[in-house]
Amino acid sequence: MKIKSMLIAGLFALGGQTCMAQALSSEVITSAGSSFSNSVCSLNWTMGEPISETDTYAANSLTQGFQQPTSIIVTSVNNQQQTQGGDVSVFPNPSSASVFIQNNDQGKTLNVELMSMSGKEIFKRTITDKQEQFDLSEFSNGIYFLRVYNTDNQLIQTLKIDKIK
């Protein structure tokens, strides 16, 4: 009986070691890449992943790949390309359903396009009224950019819209 219990204890010990020996690690085959870190932040990058794919279904998209961020935070958008007449505002922002686009340049027709963070065009519209409402409820949560163009198709303003639950 004593030998049987020692044999069982030995099997548990060896079995536990076998389970601990297996590990999965993240690996990627690329043409270049590196990792840097300090006390403030860390940076990991890869270039030239041979296998990556973006799949889009309705308003959602999934990009596969090794270096996918857990979140993207945009704190501000500079209106560097703003020319004459870019006085447009969006409210409420953030929004869960609808946003209002206020054209503060009365009498001017503007073209707007909503873009996702990945650069995909969501919609294009022409604004002729002082204020127009757009429904965002069917879109997934995230950051969107509203590009405002004049009638000559010159970019006059870019606004960030935060779509929340």
Side-chain angles (χ1 to χ4, degrees), residues 31-73:
S31 58
S34 191
S35 176
F36 304 97
S37 64
N38 62 21
S39 61
V40 178
C41 67
S42 66
L43 171 68
N44 298 302
W45 65 274
T46 57
M47 181 171 63
E49 289 183 56
I51 301 172
S52 63
E53 180 181 354
T54 301
D55 188 26
T56 304
Y57 178 74
N60 301 313
S61 64
L62 170 68
T63 301
Q64 300 173 355
F66 186 72
Q67 294 286 340
Q68 292 298 313
T70 55
S71 64
I72 298 174
I73 300 171

Coordinates of all heavy atoms in Angstrom, one line a residue, residues 31-73:
S31 N 9.9 41.6 -41.8 CA 11.1 42.1 -42.4 C 11.9 43.0 -41.4 O 13.1 43.1 -41.5 CB 10.8 42.8 -43.7 OG 10.0 43.9 -43.4
A32 N 11.2 43.6 -40.4 CA 11.9 44.5 -39.4 C 11.0 44.6 -38.2 O 9.8 44.4 -38.3 CB 12.2 45.8 -40.0
G33 N 11.6 45.0 -37.1 CA 10.8 45.2 -35.9 C 11.7 45.3 -34.7 O 12.9 45.0 -34.8
S34 N 11.2 45.9 -33.6 CA 12.0 46.1 -32.4 C 11.1 46.4 -31.3 O 9.9 46.6 -31.4 CB 13.0 47.2 -32.6 OG 14.0 47.2 -31.6
S35 N 11.7 46.5 -30.1 CA 11.0 46.8 -28.9 C 11.9 47.7 -28.0 O 13.0 47.5 -27.9 CB 10.7 45.5 -28.1 OG 10.1 45.8 -26.9
F36 N 11.3 48.8 -27.6 CA 12.0 49.8 -26.7 C 11.1 50.0 -25.5 O 9.9 50.1 -25.6 CB 12.2 51.1 -27.4 CG 13.0 50.9 -28.7 CD1 12.3 50.9 -29.9 CD2 14.4 50.8 -28.7 CE1 13.0 50.7 -31.1 CE2 15.1 50.7 -29.9 CZ 14.4 50.6 -31.1
S37 N 11.7 50.3 -24.4 CA 10.9 50.6 -23.2 C 11.8 51.4 -22.2 O 13.0 51.3 -22.2 CB 10.4 49.4 -22.5 OG 11.4 48.6 -22.0
N38 N 11.2 52.3 -21.5 CA 11.8 53.0 -20.4 C 10.8 53.1 -19.2 O 9.8 52.4 -19.2 CB 12.3 54.4 -20.8 CG 11.2 55.3 -21.3 OD1 10.1 55.1 -21.0 ND2 11.6 56.3 -22.1
S39 N 11.1 54.0 -18.3 CA 10.2 54.0 -17.1 C 8.9 54.7 -17.4 O 7.9 54.6 -16.6 CB 10.9 54.8 -16.0 OG 11.2 56.1 -16.4
V40 N 8.8 55.4 -18.5 CA 7.5 56.1 -18.8 C 6.6 55.3 -19.8 O 5.4 55.3 -19.6 CB 7.9 57.5 -19.4 CG1 6.6 58.2 -19.8 CG2 8.7 58.3 -18.5
C41 N 7.2 54.7 -20.8 CA 6.4 54.0 -21.8 C 7.2 52.9 -22.5 O 8.4 52.7 -22.2 CB 5.9 55.0 -22.8 SG 7.2 55.7 -23.8
S42 N 6.5 52.2 -23.3 CA 7.1 51.1 -24.1 C 6.6 51.2 -25.5 O 5.5 51.7 -25.8 CB 6.9 49.8 -23.5 OG 5.5 49.4 -23.7
L43 N 7.5 50.8 -26.5 CA 7.2 50.9 -27.9 C 7.5 49.6 -28.5 O 8.7 49.1 -28.4 CB 7.9 52.1 -28.6 CG 7.8 52.1 -30.1 CD1 6.4 52.4 -30.5 CD2 8.8 53.1 -30.7
N44 N 6.6 48.9 -29.2 CA 6.8 47.7 -30.0 C 6.4 48.0 -31.4 O 5.3 48.5 -31.6 CB 6.1 46.5 -29.4 CG 6.5 46.2 -28.0 OD1 7.7 45.9 -27.7 ND2 5.6 46.3 -27.0
W45 N 7.2 47.6 -32.3 CA 6.8 47.8 -33.7 C 7.2 46.7 -34.6 O 8.2 46.0 -34.3 CB 7.2 49.1 -34.3 CG 8.7 49.3 -34.4 CD1 9.6 49.7 -33.4 CD2 9.5 49.0 -35.5 NE1 10.9 49.7 -33.9 CE2 10.9 49.3 -35.2 CE3 9.2 48.6 -36.8 CZ2 11.9 49.2 -36.1 CZ3 10.3 48.5 -37.7 CH2 11.6 48.8 -37.4
T46 N 6.5 46.4 -35.6 CA 6.8 45.4 -36.7 C 6.5 46.0 -38.0 O 5.6 46.9 -38.2 CB 6.1 44.1 -36.5 OG1 4.7 44.4 -36.6 CG2 6.4 43.4 -35.2
M47 N 7.2 45.6 -39.0 CA 7.0 46.1 -40.4 C 7.0 44.9 -41.3 O 7.9 44.1 -41.2 CB 8.1 47.1 -40.8 CG 7.9 47.7 -42.1 SD 9.0 49.1 -42.5 CE 10.5 48.3 -42.4
G48 N 6.1 44.9 -42.2 CA 6.1 43.9 -43.3 C 5.5 42.5 -42.8 O 6.1 41.5 -43.2
E49 N 4.5 42.5 -42.1 CA 3.8 41.3 -41.7 C 3.3 40.7 -43.0 O 2.5 41.3 -43.7 CB 2.7 41.5 -40.7 CG 3.2 41.9 -39.3 CD 2.0 42.0 -38.3 OE1 1.3 41.0 -38.2 OE2 1.9 43.1 -37.8
P50 N 3.7 39.4 -43.3 CA 3.3 38.8 -44.6 C 1.8 38.4 -44.6 O 1.2 38.3 -45.6 CB 4.2 37.6 -44.7 CG 4.6 37.3 -43.4 CD 4.6 38.6 -42.6
I51 N 1.2 38.2 -43.4 CA -0.1 37.7 -43.3 C -0.9 38.6 -42.4 O -0.7 38.5 -41.1 CB -0.2 36.3 -42.8 CG1 0.5 35.3 -43.8 CG2 -1.7 35.8 -42.7 CD1 0.7 33.9 -43.3
S52 N -1.7 39.5 -42.9 CA -2.6 40.3 -42.1 C -3.8 40.6 -43.0 O -3.7 40.7 -44.2 CB -2.0 41.6 -41.6 OG -1.6 42.4 -42.7
E53 N -4.9 40.7 -42.3 CA -6.2 40.8 -43.1 C -7.2 41.7 -42.3 O -7.2 41.7 -41.1 CB -6.8 39.4 -43.3 CG -8.1 39.4 -44.0 CD -8.6 38.0 -44.1 OE1 -8.0 37.0 -43.7 OE2 -9.8 37.8 -44.6
T54 N -7.9 42.5 -43.1 CA -9.0 43.3 -42.5 C -10.3 42.8 -43.0 O -10.5 42.7 -44.2 CB -8.8 44.8 -42.8 OG1 -7.6 45.2 -42.3 CG2 -9.9 45.6 -42.2
D55 N -11.2 42.4 -42.1 CA -12.5 41.9 -42.5 C -13.6 42.9 -42.0 O -13.5 43.3 -40.9 CB -12.8 40.5 -41.9 CG -14.0 39.9 -42.4 OD1 -14.4 40.2 -43.6 OD2 -14.6 39.1 -41.7
T56 N -14.5 43.3 -42.9 CA -15.5 44.3 -42.6 C -16.9 43.6 -42.7 O -17.2 43.0 -43.7 CB -15.4 45.5 -43.5 OG1 -14.1 46.1 -43.3 CG2 -16.4 46.6 -43.1
Y57 N -17.7 43.8 -41.7 CA -19.1 43.4 -41.7 C -19.9 44.5 -41.2 O -19.8 44.9 -40.0 CB -19.3 42.1 -40.9 CG -20.7 41.6 -40.9 CD1 -21.2 41.0 -42.0 CD2 -21.5 41.7 -39.8 CE1 -22.5 40.5 -42.0 CE2 -22.8 41.3 -39.8 CZ -23.3 40.7 -40.9 OH -24.6 40.3 -40.9
A58 N -20.8 45.0 -42.0 CA -21.7 46.1 -41.6 C -20.8 47.3 -41.2 O -20.0 47.7 -41.9 CB -22.7 45.7 -40.6
A59 N -21.0 47.8 -40.0 CA -20.3 48.9 -39.5 C -19.1 48.5 -38.6 O -18.3 49.4 -38.1 CB -21.2 49.8 -38.6
N60 N -18.8 47.2 -38.5 CA -17.7 46.7 -37.7 C -16.6 46.2 -38.6 O -16.8 45.7 -39.7 CB -18.2 45.6 -36.8 CG -19.3 46.0 -35.9 OD1 -19.2 47.1 -35.3 ND2 -20.3 45.2 -35.8
S61 N -15.3 46.4 -38.2 CA -14.2 45.8 -38.9 C -13.2 45.2 -37.9 O -13.1 45.7 -36.8 CB -13.5 46.9 -39.7 OG -13.0 47.9 -38.9
L62 N -12.5 44.2 -38.4 CA -11.5 43.5 -37.6 C -10.3 43.4 -38.4 O -10.3 42.9 -39.5 CB -12.0 42.1 -37.2 CG -11.0 41.1 -36.6 CD1 -10.6 41.6 -35.2 CD2 -11.5 39.7 -36.5
T63 N -9.2 43.9 -37.8 CA -7.9 43.8 -38.5 C -7.0 42.8 -37.7 O -6.8 42.9 -36.5 CB -7.2 45.1 -38.5 OG1 -8.0 46.0 -39.2 CG2 -5.8 45.0 -39.2
Q64 N -6.6 41.7 -38.4 CA -5.7 40.7 -37.8 C -4.3 41.1 -37.9 O -3.9 41.8 -38.9 CB -6.0 39.4 -38.4 CG -7.4 38.9 -38.3 CD -7.6 37.6 -39.1 OE1 -6.7 37.2 -39.8 NE2 -8.8 37.1 -39.0
G65 N -3.5 40.7 -37.0 CA -2.0 41.0 -37.1 C -1.4 41.0 -35.7 O -2.1 40.9 -34.7
F66 N -0.1 41.0 -35.6 CA 0.6 40.8 -34.4 C 0.5 42.1 -33.5 O 0.3 42.0 -32.3 CB 2.0 40.5 -34.7 CG 2.9 40.1 -33.5 CD1 2.6 39.0 -32.8 CD2 3.8 41.0 -33.0 CE1 3.4 38.6 -31.7 CE2 4.6 40.7 -31.9 CZ 4.3 39.5 -31.3
Q67 N 0.7 43.2 -34.1 CA 0.8 44.5 -33.3 C -0.5 45.2 -33.3 O -0.6 46.3 -33.8 CB 1.9 45.4 -33.8 CG 3.3 44.8 -33.6 CD 3.8 44.9 -32.2 OE1 3.3 45.6 -31.4 NE2 4.7 44.1 -31.9
Q68 N -1.6 44.7 -32.8 CA -2.9 45.4 -32.7 C -3.0 46.0 -31.4 O -2.8 45.4 -30.4 CB -4.0 44.4 -32.9 CG -4.1 43.8 -34.3 CD -4.3 44.9 -35.3 OE1 -5.2 45.7 -35.2 NE2 -3.5 44.9 -36.4
P69 N -3.3 47.3 -31.4 CA -3.4 48.0 -30.1 C -4.6 47.6 -29.3 O -5.6 47.2 -29.9 CB -3.5 49.5 -30.5 CG -4.2 49.4 -31.9 CD -3.6 48.2 -32.5
T70 N -4.5 47.7 -28.0 CA -5.7 47.5 -27.1 C -6.6 48.7 -27.1 O -7.8 48.5 -27.0 CB -5.3 47.2 -25.7 OG1 -4.5 48.3 -25.2 CG2 -4.5 45.9 -25.6
S71 N -6.1 49.9 -27.3 CA -6.9 51.0 -27.5 C -6.2 52.1 -28.2 O -4.9 52.2 -28.1 CB -7.4 51.6 -26.1 OG -6.3 52.0 -25.4
I72 N -6.9 53.0 -28.8 CA -6.3 54.1 -29.5 C -6.9 55.4 -28.9 O -8.1 55.5 -28.9 CB -6.5 54.1 -31.0 CG1 -5.9 52.9 -31.6 CG2 -6.0 55.4 -31.7 CD1 -6.2 52.7 -33.1
I73 N -6.1 56.3 -28.4 CA -6.6 57.5 -27.8 C -6.1 58.7 -28.6 O -4.9 58.9 -28.8 CB -6.1 57.6 -26.3 CG1 -6.6 56.5 -25.5 CG2 -6.5 59.0 -25.7 CD1 -6.0 56.4 -24.2

